[in-house]
């Protein structure tokens, strides 16, 4: 459309500045001594852990918050950090906790939501390590 207008009028429209594609941040792998309650990790999760993965992908990288550790070493009660709240039902909506990006500048670029509606069990071999 812009090219057609330029041909008709002899003038070009100002171009919108292109946003450079954001480079995906690389998060450090977890050290064994850091695997404790309250630690936030960036891990790939799949349907094996109970995550509903969209788009036909085998897994999805997600932030999780460790709530506990099982006897077998699995991370237990991992709460997901999502971009948008899960408000499919009023009950799920009530289980969403807002997180300010400014409170977590090393991991969040924007405000997010802690989804407390479901606990996940993540085997330790899924946790990226140093």
């Amino acid at each position: 459309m812009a090219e057609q207008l330029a041909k008709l009028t002899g003038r070009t429209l100002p171009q919108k500045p292109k946003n450079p594609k954001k480079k995906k941040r690389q998060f450090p792998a977890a050290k064994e001594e850091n695997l404790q309650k309250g630690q936030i990790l960036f891990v790939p999760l799949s349907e094996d852990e109970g995550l509903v993965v969209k788009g036909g992908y085998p897994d999805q990288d997600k932030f999780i918050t460790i709530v506990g550790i099982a006897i077998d070493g699995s991370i237990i009660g991992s709460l997901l950090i999502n971009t948008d709240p899960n408000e499919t039902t009023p009950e799920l909506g009530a289980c969403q906790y807002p997180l300010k990006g400014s409170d977590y500048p090393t991991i969040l670029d924007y405000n997010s939501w802690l989804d407390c509606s479901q606990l996940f069990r993540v085997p330790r071999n899924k946790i990226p390590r140093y």
Side-chain angles (χ1 to χ4, degrees):
M1 175 81 116
E3 289 175 10
Q4 291 173 339
L5 285 172
K7 284 181 183 177
L8 290 173
T9 63
R11 297 173 53 189
T12 58
L13 296 173
Q15 297 291 318
K16 285 185 181 178
K18 293 184 179 181
N19 292 336
K21 196 169 192 174
K22 260 191 171 177
K23 188 175 181 182
K24 189 172 182 177
R25 283 198 287 182
Q26 296 296 316
F27 295 95
K31 292 183 179 178
E32 187 65 32
E33 61 268 19
N34 292 340
L35 295 180
Q36 56 191 349
K37 290 180 186 177
Q39 178 70 32
I40 296 174
L41 302 173
F42 193 64
V43 298
L45 296 179
S46 67
E47 291 179 0
D48 293 341
E49 290 80 45
L51 183 70
V52 176
V53 181
K54 299 175 184 173
Y57 297 101
D59 58 28
Q60 183 176 359
D61 291 339
K62 298 293 289 182
F63 283 111
I64 62 170
T65 305
I66 299 174
V67 180
I69 298 177
I71 293 171
D72 69 359
S74 295
I75 303 300
I76 290 251
S78 306
L79 304 174
L80 300 179
I81 296 176
N82 295 317
T83 301
D84 298 308
N86 184 350
E87 298 178 311
T88 309
T89 67
E91 292 81 12
L92 286 176
C95 297
Q96 309 303 302
Y97 183 80
L99 300 173
K100 285 185 178 180
S102 59
D103 289 343
Y104 303 93
T106 58
I107 61 168
L108 298 178
D109 290 329
Y110 43 80
N111 294 341
S112 298
W113 296 86
L114 184 63
D115 184 347
C116 303
S117 66
Q118 182 178 358
L119 297 179
F120 292 85
R121 181 183 193 99
V122 181
R124 281 207 185 210
N125 64 359
K126 297 280 292 222
I127 308 291
R129 300 292 178 92
Y130 279 117

